[in-house]
C-alpha cells in the first residue's frame, strides 16, 4: 500500500514539474540545478530556491522604491532589473526573466508608464513562480517523508 | 572518469557578489571535483592573490561593487597572474563583452554557467580532457 502511495506521489510530482516546463514557468536551467543535487548535497535545490526568493523580494522592493521617486533614476532601475534578470536566469525562472528583458528595454527608453506596468507584471510572474516552486518542494518533501526518492525528469525540448 | 580526474587537479576562485551565483558556481565546480574558494568582489580577488594564493581557474563576474571584473582582471594580469580567467556575466551588448575580454580574459560565458559551459572551460584548460557527461 505504501509503495502504491509513493508511486502515486511520484507520478503527481512528474506531472506537476512537466506542466511547469510546458507552461514556461521553468526552463532547462532548473533541471541543471536538480542534477547538481545528490546525497552529499541533498538540500541544494531548496537552498538555491530560497536564495532566489530572498534576492527577488529585495530587488522588487528596491524597484518599487526607485520607481516611486519624483526624479526617477533609470540607471538605478535598470541595474535592479538587470540583477533580477540574472537571478531568475540562474534559477531557470523563465517567465520572470522574460519580463525583465522587456522591462530593461523600457528603462532604456525612460518610459515611466511602461516601466510601472512592467513592475506589476514582474511582481505577478514572481508570485506565480514562487507558489509553483513552493508546491514543487512540498511534493518532494512528501515523497521523501513517505520513503520514496524524487524522480528525475528527462528534458527533451 | 577522465573528466573527474582532471577536475580534481584544478583549483578555482569564484569572484561574484551574488550569493545565488556563488552557490551555483561552487556546486558546479565541486561536481567535477574542482576545489574552490569564493570572494565577493574584484578587490578581494586581488587581495587573495597579494596574500600569495594562486588558482588554476578564476570565474570572474563583471558587475561587482568596490572593484568590478574588468578592473580586477587588469590588476591581476598586471601582477603577472597567468591563471585561466573566465568572465561570467549576464551582460549582453557586444561592446561590453569586448571590453571585458580586452581586460585580459581567456574566455567568456554568459550566465548562467552550466555543466556544458564548465566542460568547455575545462577542455580549453586541458585539450586532452573529454567529458563523460551526456
Amino acid at each position: 500500500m505504501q509503495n502504491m502511495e509513493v508511486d502515486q506521489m511520484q507520478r503527481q510530482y512528474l506531472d506537476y514539474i512537466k506542466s511547469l516546463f510546458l507552461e514556461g514557468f521553468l526552463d532547462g536551467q532548473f533541471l541543471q540545478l536538480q542534477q547538481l543535487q545528490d546525497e552529499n548535497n541533498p538540500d541544494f535545490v531548496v537552498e538555491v530556491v530560497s536564495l532566489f526568493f530572498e534576492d527577488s523580494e529585495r530587488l522588487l522592493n528596491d524597484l518599487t522604491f526607485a520607481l516611486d521617486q519624483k526624479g526617477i533614476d533609470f540607471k538605478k532601475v535598470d541595474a535592479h532589473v538587470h540583477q533580477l534578470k540574472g537571478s531568475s536566469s540562474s534559477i531557470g525562472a523563465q517567465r520572470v526573466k522574460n519580463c525583465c528583458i522587456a522591462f530593461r528595454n523600457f528603462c532604456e527608453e525612460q518610459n515611466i508608464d511602461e516601466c510601472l506596468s512592467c513592475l506589476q507584471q514582474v511582481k505577478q510572474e514572481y508570485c506565480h513562480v514562487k507558489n509553483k516552486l513552493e508546491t514543487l518542494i512540498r511534493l518532494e518533501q512528501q515523497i521523501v517523508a513517505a520513503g520514496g526518492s524524487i524522480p528525475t525528469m528527462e528534458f527533451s525540448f | 572518469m577522465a573528466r573527474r580526474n582532471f577536475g580534481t587537479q584544478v583549483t578555482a576562485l569564484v569572484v561574484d557578489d551574488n550569493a545565488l551565483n556563488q552557490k551555483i558556481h561552487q556546486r558546479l565546480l565541486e561536481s567535477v571535483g574542482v576545489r574552490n574558494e569564493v570572494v565577493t568582489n574584484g578587490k578581494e580577488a586581488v587581495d587573495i592573490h597579494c596574500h600569495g594564493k594562486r588558482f588554476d581557474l578564476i570565474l570572474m563576474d563583471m558587475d561587482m561593487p568596490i572593484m568590478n571584473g574588468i578592473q580586477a582582471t587588469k590588476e591581476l594580469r598586471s601582477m603577472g597572474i597567468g591563471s585561466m580567467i573566465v568572465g561570467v556575466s549576464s551582460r549582453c551588448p557586444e561592446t561590453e563583452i569586448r571590453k571585458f575580454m580586452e581586460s585580459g580574459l581567456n574566455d567568456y560565458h554568459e550566465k548562467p554557467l552550466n555543466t556544458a559551459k564548465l566542460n568547455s572551460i575545462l577542455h580549453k584548460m586541458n585539450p586532452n580532457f573529454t567529458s563523460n557527461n551526456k
Side-chain angles (χ1 to χ4, degrees):
Chain A
M1 188 60 89
Q2 200 178 13
N3 281 341
M4 278 175 63
E5 276 178 19
V6 169
D7 280 347
Q8 200 176 349
M9 280 193 253
Q10 287 171 330
R11 268 198 303 275
Q12 188 187 7
Y13 173 84
L14 280 174
D15 286 343
Y16 189 69
I17 196 171
K18 201 174 173 182
S19 74
L20 297 186
F21 284 96
L22 289 172
E23 289 167 29
F25 286 103
L26 298 176
D27 63 26
Q29 177 63 15
F30 188 78
L31 279 182
Q32 284 276 316
L33 299 181
Q34 286 190 313
Q35 284 166 9
L36 291 173
Q37 182 160 293
D38 59 20
E39 56 274 9
N40 295 322
N41 301 275
D43 299 319
F44 176 71
V45 173
V46 168
E47 287 166 3
V48 165
V49 167
S50 300
L51 284 170
F52 168 64
F53 290 164
E54 276 172 37
D55 247 9
S56 301
E57 279 157 35
R58 175 182 54 82
L59 287 165
L60 288 170
N61 283 341
D62 289 346
L63 277 165
T64 307
F65 180 79
L67 284 168
D68 200 32
Q69 301 308 298
K70 272 205 174 119
I72 295 174
D73 184 346
F74 281 98
K75 252 189 161 174
K76 214 173 222 174
V77 174
D78 182 64
H80 292 321
V81 178
H82 169 71
Q83 281 188 58
L84 183 58
K85 181 185 156 235
S87 291
S88 55
S89 196
S90 292
I91 198 100
Q94 189 176 245
R95 284 198 191 178
V96 175
K97 180 187 80 176
N98 290 342
C99 274
C100 290
I101 292 171
F103 201 157
R104 291 199 74 196
N105 289 335
F106 290 122
C107 286
E108 207 174 308
E109 291 174 17
Q110 302 200 2
N111 187 324
I112 297 172
D113 289 338
E114 290 295 345
C115 280
L116 287 169
S117 167
C118 280
L119 177 61
Q120 290 320 304
Q121 252 187 306
V122 82
K123 279 180 173 175
Q124 236 174 28
E125 289 299 345
Y126 168 71
C127 276
H128 286 323
V129 82
K130 184 177 180 190
N131 288 338
K132 303 287 183 186
L133 287 169
E134 283 174 337
T135 302
L136 192 71
I137 287 166
R138 232 180 352 259
L139 288 172
E140 286 185 356
Q141 289 169 344
Q142 283 169 5
I143 291 169
V144 169
S149 60
I150 299 161
T152 45
M153 195 185 107
E154 289 300 317
F155 192 75
S156 51
F157 290 64
Chain B
M1 288 199 295
R3 175 173 68 90
R4 196 168 171 88
N5 283 341
F6 174 62
T8 58
Q9 296 165 35
V10 174
T11 56
L13 178 68
V14 174
V15 188
D16 201 308
D17 62 324
N18 181 278
L20 174 61
N21 291 325
Q22 286 173 7
K23 193 164 187 74
I24 293 173
H25 291 167
Q26 279 200 285
R27 183 68 201 107
L28 255 177
L29 289 164
E30 280 162 17
S31 73
V32 294
V34 174
R35 284 164 291 138
N36 62 86
E37 290 186 45
V38 173
V39 291
T40 59
N41 60 60
K43 185 176 182 304
E44 287 182 10
V46 169
D47 288 348
I48 203 171
H49 284 85
C50 288
H51 289 126
K53 280 216 149 161
R54 294 294 181 267
F55 303 89
D56 302 301
L57 170 65
I58 300 172
L59 296 179
M60 183 75 77
D61 184 25
M62 178 144 69
D63 295 314
M64 291 178 288
I66 305 173
M67 187 188 284
N68 66 28
I70 292 174
Q71 292 168 300
T73 304
K74 282 182 181 170
E75 188 74 29
L76 290 170
R77 291 305 190 207
S78 76
M79 286 166 64
I81 301 299
S83 310
M84 170 95 165
I85 306 180
V86 177
V88 187
S89 173
S90 45
R91 287 279 176 193
C92 288
E94 283 274 344
T95 46
E96 296 198 33
I97 297 171
R98 202 179 314 127
K99 204 172 154 188
F100 201 5
M101 285 295 297
E102 285 167 1
S103 69
L105 298 180
N106 297 101
D107 201 359
Y108 172 87
H109 282 280
E110 198 179 328
K111 277 183 193 169
L113 259 195
N114 54 34
T115 313
K117 290 176 185 175
L118 181 58
N119 285 340
S120 110
I121 291 168
L122 292 175
H123 184 80
K124 238 184 173 169
M125 292 175 73
N126 179 4
N128 293 326
F129 155 76
T130 49
S131 168
N132 288 330
N133 261 359
K134 47 185 173 207

